């Protein structure tokens, strides 16, 4: 621990312009001496070497001072990108879980009106949920930005197709169509979430299938209870 403290202290010290110039001057002088030997003191040659080393150190410091604000701004931009990415990742998780549960119910078999009404409540999809991350696409790898952009585009394309209509046998008529619309959306959300997770949270994406299956079972049980109530059967 003590050695790590000294290393951090030395690193911070070397980042300052004056110590950096001193270090560069010393390293440059050492390299020159190793390659060409020690020049005779108080000669034109020695003066030339001193001038060259001084110029080199000045150039290095000037470059460092000029680039430092840029690097600081870039680091702040990346930190904000990760913070916004955490929020978007959480939104993608919730949407994927609810949409995948709805999709599984739609493709599992016949869906009556009671169950379809529960499916409709889980069509939670917001294409604008990742809009805050768009200005930070330049701060993340291209594959992450591309996956997030694809998820946004897929949700936008699917939104008008997820309109459902009331009426008798609405589940039987509409469930299969809704399932087909949801399939590419949930796949796109999963890919975006898996690629965004390491960047935004520092770890891999969570497996949402257990929670999704619990949601499916819960909706099935709720629909069954509603059927029993409708038919006049007492429910414990």
């Amino acid at each position: 621990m003590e050695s790590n403290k000294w290393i951090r202290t030395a690193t911070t010290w070397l980042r300052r312009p004056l110590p950096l110039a001193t270090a560069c001057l010393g390293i440059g002088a050492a390299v020159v001496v190793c390659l060409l030997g020690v020049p005779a003191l108080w000669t034109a040659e020695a003066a030339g070497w001193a001038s060259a080393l001084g110029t080199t150190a000045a150039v290095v410091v000037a470059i460092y001072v000029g680039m430092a604000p840029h690097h600081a701004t870039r680091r702040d931009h990346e930190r904000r990108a990760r913070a916004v990415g955490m929020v978007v990742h959480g939104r993608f998780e919730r949407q994927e879980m609810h949409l995948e549960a709805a999709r599984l119910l739609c493709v599992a078999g016949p869906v009556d009106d009671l169950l379809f009404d529960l499916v409709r409540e889980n069509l939670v999809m917001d294409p604008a949920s990742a809009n805050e991350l768009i200005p930070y696409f330049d701060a993340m790898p291209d594959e992450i930005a591309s996956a997030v952009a694809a998820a946004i585009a897929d949700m936008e394309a699917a939104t008008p197709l997820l309109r459902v209509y009331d009426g008798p046998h609405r589940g039987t008529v509409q469930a299969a169509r809704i399932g087909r619309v949801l399939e590419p959306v949930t796949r796109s959300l999963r890919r975006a979430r898996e690629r965004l997770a390491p960047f935004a949270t520092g770890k891999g994406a969570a497996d949402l299938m257990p929670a999704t299956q619990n949601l499916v079972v819960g909706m099935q049980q709720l629909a069954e209870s509603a059927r029993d109530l409708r038919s006049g059967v007492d429910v414990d």
Side-chain angles (χ1 to χ4, degrees):
M1 295 295 294
E2 190 67 24
S3 62
N4 290 337
K5 179 181 178 181
W6 281 107
I7 291 173
R8 288 195 298 270
T9 301
T11 302
T12 302
W13 184 79
L14 284 173
R15 286 176 179 172
R16 299 173 181 173
L18 184 58
L20 179 64
T22 304
C24 290
L25 182 60
I27 294 171
V31 171
V32 169
V33 169
C34 289
L35 294 177
L36 302 178
V38 181
L41 296 178
W42 308 110
T43 65
E45 181 183 3
W49 281 113
S51 176
L53 292 174
T55 301
T56 301
V59 170
V60 170
V61 171
I63 293 174
Y64 174 82
V65 171
M67 293 298 293
H70 171 75
H71 290 313
T73 301
R74 182 69 181 179
R75 286 194 300 269
D76 290 342
H77 188 63
E78 290 179 356
R79 280 195 294 268
R80 288 193 294 270
R82 294 180 192 279
V84 177
M86 290 179 64
V87 175
V88 172
H89 176 267
R91 292 171 178 172
F92 279 0
E93 270 193 341
R94 291 188 293 275
Q95 291 182 86
E96 180 190 335
M97 184 175 67
H98 284 274
L99 293 174
E100 180 65 7
R103 188 190 72 82
L104 291 173
L105 286 169
C106 285
V107 302
V111 179
D112 63 15
D113 292 347
L114 289 172
L115 183 56
F116 184 74
D117 289 341
L118 294 175
V119 167
R120 177 165 54 182
E121 292 178 4
N122 278 270
L123 298 180
V124 181
M125 188 168 62
D126 180 14
S129 60
N131 283 356
E132 297 95 329
L133 194 56
I134 294 176
Y136 299 100
F137 276 1
D138 62 325
M140 60 185 65
D142 290 343
E143 60 270 17
I144 299 177
S146 297
V148 173
I152 295 173
D154 287 342
M155 286 190 287
E156 288 178 344
T159 297
L161 302 177
L162 288 178
R163 294 194 183 97
V164 295
Y165 305 96
D166 291 323
H169 310 296
R170 53 188 173 277
T172 304
V173 173
Q174 300 179 79
R177 177 182 64 83
I178 296 297
R180 289 193 298 270
V181 172
L182 288 177
E183 183 177 3
V185 177
T186 55
R187 185 170 59 247
S188 185
L189 278 170
R190 186 177 306 113
R191 182 172 58 252
R193 183 176 59 86
E194 289 173 349
R195 294 187 179 179
L196 182 60
F199 175 83
T201 68
K203 56 185 179 181
D207 180 10
L208 298 184
M209 189 51 64
T212 301
Q213 291 288 359
N214 288 338
L215 185 57
V216 168
V217 172
M219 285 193 289
Q220 289 173 330
Q221 292 175 344
L222 188 58
E224 185 63 32
S225 298
R227 294 188 198 101
D228 291 341
L229 288 172
R230 175 171 290 185
S231 64
V233 178
D234 291 333
V235 179
D236 294 334

